Amino acid sequence: MSIKTAKAPPDGGRLELGRTIPSLLDEAVRSRPNPRAFNQRDGRGGWRTWSTADLAREAEALALGLRHAGLERGDRVALFTQSDMSFVVADMAALIGGLVVVPVYLTHTERAIRHILAESGSRAVLVSDRPLLERMAGLAADLEGVRLLGVSDDGALAGFEAGPAWAGRRVASYAALEAEGAELRAREPDRVDRYKRELEATGLATIIYTSGTTGTPKGVMLSHQNLTSNAIASITSLPRFRPGPDETVLSFLPLSHIFARTLQYANMWYGSSVHYGTPESVRHDLTEVRPTFMAAVPRVLEKSWERMQAVGDELTGLKRSLYRRALRFAQGYDVTAPRGGLAGVERRFLDRLVFAKWREALGGRLNMIIVGGAALRAELVNVLGAAGIEVLQGFGLTETSPVMTFNRPGRNRPGTVGEPIVGTEVGVSPEGEILARGPHVMLGYFERPEETAAAIDEDGWFHTGDLGRLDDDGYLSVTGRLKYLFKLSTGKYVMPQPLTDRLEADALVDTAIVVGSGQKYCTALVFLSHDALLERYGRIDASVLGEPRLEAELKRAIAVANEDMPHWSTVKHAAVVTDQLTMEDGSVTPKLSVRREAVVQRYQHVLDALYGQAAAPAGALFVTLD
């Protein structure tokens, strides 16, 4: 098999093997101590702060408490927590104690949570607060393997009754477990060091259950070395990101997801100052925390950009004229082009009058954003780049710990997901599938040897299931999912992802699904954005589909998406609905990825109508391009 490959550029960061995750914390305490390393809201309008040493002390005490409570090396511990210090402390404690961490999405269905706890054989579940404690007590009541239920919030146990199903099992606070651990340490001062010495870099650290776009979640087994090598390689690939407390990081993505978690280890090791927020608090946190760095998913940037555009639309007179000039300049900006000449003069002029205000809306100090998790429009990279904010898109999967490639400062190519990180070899098969091998590739799928063998071939290549291409400079572009590629009845193959991305770039479109397998032409199922509908029409029910200008706006959006596409790979008809896809109806995963097959099956009657195979149902607008 002829595989086109690429490796990291010469200055692509630092590769370190043989490290455990607790060793990163030990090094930070010793070499890069930070008195304000970890920060979260205290519930009274302020922030509670932990130093690097505080985390080490709490995590070590909790590790001893967990082992004293009966957990043994290799036992699985599920974390059902908020993405804050309740996760960070518990995660590090379990790892120090030689336990295996099983993070559980708070948004998982009850069925998925039970499956994860049962299949992983988790013996303990640690939660953040009273609502999660009550929820987990009910979910795990009939799982005899769960022997311990721990809660971070000391006050959560006041008046709490676990119920008769928990007789003979323990419910305790982190504080109680830590106190027991402290007593044990006083008797055996070397116990923690012994636990750490027993850890192996190649040993299992965590089982992360993928969100299951195609079915039941399956556990991805990652070693300490998988995660530490990826964290170190990624953070040292950013020459402008300096070790120490001056780098202020806003963390709001779920720590149960590999992207945020690996960055957590990297920031901890580097001694950064991390502030934990939520997706809902981002707008406020940006202006209060004033971060220098954050990681995000594309939708967060899109919403920020939409807000900035809305502010500009409300301006009048000279301010409006200046804003529109800045907008035209930013939309025509190219981060890869030379920055001198007349364009440089104009950029400096607009920066003082307009772009500085854009930066202020994001806190005023933000100079770098790492983006992953979904496709990012090149336009946003260039627009924010014009304002002096570097947006670096990357690519990876849970199975790759997760970072495989990302764009670097000064080497940023919008529309690509960048170059491989150090130690990683990225390839594209003759069929166009993206492959990877290196120390970041998972140990395998938990208790699924056949699926592991299918995913990792005899040459060590992990098959991602994604389609892409490598240019001659080693930059990777992701073009779609292998399983979504379909063949028309004419014999032509269609990759729907480019059309989907273009349709979803329109503010009216929340989700688009392009289909056509076995048909003569492509069609699309379009779910409208409720935010856009409320803004433009003042309502979100199906009656809005009768608005006279809506069909014209949608025709224009589809025509833009079709531009420059091969004629057989364009949308001829679309069915438009106001329904929302949710996790509750099984259409969306906890990572907010759309379960394409489930949606297609649910709306098959609508798709049949698009091809004239069924009567047009009520509640849908059918759009045909001329």
Side-chain angles (χ1 to χ4, degrees):
M1 180 172 67
S2 177
I3 300 173
K4 184 173 183 178
T5 64
K7 294 184 178 180
D11 56 349
R14 183 165 130 200
L15 176 64
E16 282 197 25
L17 303 178
R19 299 292 300 269
T20 66
I21 296 167
S23 79
L24 300 189
L25 176 58
D26 290 341
E27 184 179 348
V29 170
R30 187 172 60 251
S31 303
R32 288 183 286 275
N34 182 352
R36 55 181 190 277
F38 312 101
N39 306 269
Q40 75 180 46
R41 295 194 181 278
D42 61 10
R44 299 185 299 275
W47 293 84
R48 181 185 173 191
T49 295
W50 284 255
S51 69
T52 318
D54 289 336
L55 171 60
R57 183 177 59 256
E58 286 191 29
E60 289 175 358
L62 184 56
L64 289 166
L66 291 171
R67 292 292 297 266
H68 184 258
L71 298 179
E72 299 179 357
R73 184 182 176 191
D75 280 348
R76 270 76 71 191
V77 176
L79 302 189
F80 193 59
T81 73
Q82 305 293 340
S83 293
D84 55 22
M85 290 302 288
S86 61
F87 184 102
V88 173
V89 172
D91 178 47
M92 187 57 64
L95 294 169
I96 290 171
L99 308 171
V100 176
V101 176
V102 183
V104 181
Y105 285 113
L106 299 185
T107 49
H108 264 315
T109 64
E110 291 191 3
R111 179 180 179 182
I113 294 171
R114 289 177 186 274
H115 165 76
I116 290 167
L117 296 179
E119 183 179 273
S120 67
S122 292
R123 293 199 62 208
V125 182
L126 304 182
V127 304
S128 301
D129 48 40
R130 179 63 172 263
L132 294 180
L133 177 67
E134 292 176 346
R135 186 177 173 198
M136 186 52 71
L139 284 171
D142 58 349
L143 297 174
E144 286 296 325
V146 179
R147 308 303 299 169
L148 171 67
L149 187 54
V151 59
S152 175
D153 180 5
D154 292 350
L157 291 176
F160 173 75
E161 295 291 340
W166 282 87
R169 296 186 277 176
R170 187 174 179 194
V171 180
S173 68
Y174 284 19
L177 293 167
E178 288 173 19
E180 293 170 10
E183 291 179 7
L184 180 59
R185 187 167 196 167
R187 296 195 302 271
E188 300 181 48
D190 66 338
R191 174 77 73 104
V192 168
D193 290 337
R194 189 168 79 244
Y195 287 160
K196 291 179 181 177
R197 288 194 299 270
E198 290 173 350
L199 297 176
E200 298 176 353
T202 56
L204 180 61
T206 189
I207 303 172
I208 302 177
Y209 279 79
T210 59
S211 53
T213 57
T214 58
T216 304
K218 56 186 175 183
V220 175
M221 298 187 293
L222 298 176
S223 70
H224 286 264
Q225 181 171 272
N226 285 151
L227 293 161
T228 55
S229 66
N230 202 260
I232 293 171
S234 298
I235 203 75
T236 57
S237 296
L238 297 170
R240 286 167 48 193
F241 193 98
R242 301 297 183 186
D246 290 340
E247 289 290 357
T248 303
V249 178
L250 179 59
S251 175
F252 57 86
L253 298 177
L255 289 169
S256 50
H257 181 223
I258 186 62
F259 182 29
R261 189 167 168 206
T262 298
L263 279 174
Q264 160 66 27
Y265 296 142
N267 285 311
M268 176 191 73
W269 177 67
Y270 243 30
S272 308
S273 300
V274 183
H275 291 70
Y276 299 100
T278 67
E280 294 74 29
S281 69
V282 169
R283 188 175 179 181
H284 176 73
D285 292 340
L286 282 168
T287 54
E288 183 175 348
V289 174
R290 302 182 67 237
T292 59
F293 172 91
M294 73 176 186
V297 292
R299 189 57 188 145
V300 171
L301 293 190
E302 289 165 2
K303 285 184 175 181
S304 295
W305 175 234
E306 288 165 7
R307 281 197 300 270
M308 284 190 280
Q309 286 178 304
V311 169
D313 290 341
E314 294 173 0
L315 298 175
T316 59
L318 179 60
K319 288 183 178 180
R320 183 179 181 89
S321 298
L322 276 172
Y323 178 85
R324 291 196 168 186
R325 178 177 171 182
L327 179 60
R328 287 194 300 272
F329 180 88
Q331 289 175 325
Y333 190 74
D334 182 354
V335 298
T336 67
R339 303 194 180 181
L342 291 176
V345 173
E346 183 173 13
R347 181 175 180 271
R348 288 192 294 274
F349 169 74
L350 292 172
D351 189 79
R352 289 194 301 271
L353 297 174
V354 180
F355 295 150
K357 292 181 174 60
W358 292 6
R359 290 195 299 275
E360 198 59 36
L362 297 174
R365 300 196 303 162
L366 189 62
N367 55 49
M368 190 162 36
I369 304 173
I370 301 292
V371 178
L376 176 69
R377 288 154 37 203
E379 174 199 12
L380 281 174
V381 179
N382 287 314
V383 163
L384 291 175
I389 300 168
E390 193 139 33
V391 177
L392 306 171
Q393 185 176 14
F395 171 70
L397 303 168
T398 304
E399 290 90 338
T400 58
S401 305
V403 185
M404 289 168 52
T405 66
F406 73 99
N407 281 287
R408 315 300 207 270
R411 304 172 63 91
N412 194 4
R413 292 193 185 178
T416 78
V417 291
E419 302 166 282
I421 65 168
V422 65
T424 299
E425 189 174 10
V426 174
V428 175
S429 73
E431 296 76 27
E433 184 180 12
I434 300 170
L435 312 174
R437 63 182 175 187
H440 63 309
V441 173
M442 67 172 180
L443 301 176
Y445 294 113
F446 184 65
E447 295 191 344
R448 300 191 186 199
E450 297 83 5
E451 292 191 41
T452 300
I456 305 175
D457 66 27
E458 58 188 13
D459 294 320
W461 287 109
F462 169 67
H463 291 245
T464 66
D466 289 291
L467 292 170
R469 59 178 178 272
L470 279 168
D471 67 20
D472 293 339
D473 295 324
Y475 284 78
L476 179 68
S477 298
V478 180
T479 57
R481 288 288 291 170
L482 183 61
K483 65 186 178 183
Y484 295 157
L485 183 72
F486 61 79
K487 186 178 181 181
L488 298 171
S489 63
T490 60
K492 296 290 188 179
Y493 283 93
V494 175
M495 171 46 64
Q497 196 65 48
L499 276 169
T500 297
D501 292 344
R502 290 180 176 194
L503 286 167
E504 291 178 354
D506 191 279
L508 264 176
V509 179
D510 185 69
T511 302
I513 295 177
V514 176
V515 299
S517 179
Q519 304 290 347
K520 291 182 179 179
Y521 51 83
C522 299
T523 61
L525 181 60
V526 174
F527 296 84
L528 295 176
S529 163
H530 282 197
D531 289 342
L533 289 177
L534 284 171
E535 181 183 339
R536 298 185 190 189
Y537 302 108
R539 62 190 190 282
I540 57 177
D541 58 84
S543 69
V544 77
L545 298 176
E547 284 286 343
R549 73 177 191 271
L550 179 61
E551 183 173 358
E553 289 185 285
L554 290 166
K555 279 187 176 182
R556 184 169 59 252
I558 296 169
V560 169
N562 283 339
E563 285 179 2
D564 304 322
M565 298 294 291
H567 68 86
W568 67 84
S569 189
T570 58
V571 172
K572 303 296 190 296
H573 306 279
V576 182
V577 296
T578 58
D579 302 349
Q580 277 199 312
L581 302 177
T582 67
M583 281 178 284
E584 289 71 25
D585 66 16
S587 301
V588 178
T589 73
K591 282 170 53 180
L592 303 183
S593 301
V594 175
R595 288 192 168 101
R596 190 177 188 276
E597 291 88 348
V599 176
V600 168
Q601 184 177 4
R602 180 177 164 193
Y603 288 88
Q604 190 61 58
H605 64 295
V606 179
L607 296 172
D608 288 343
L610 280 173
Y611 289 105
Q613 298 166 355
L621 170 65
F622 286 76
V623 178
T624 299
L625 262 66
D626 299 329

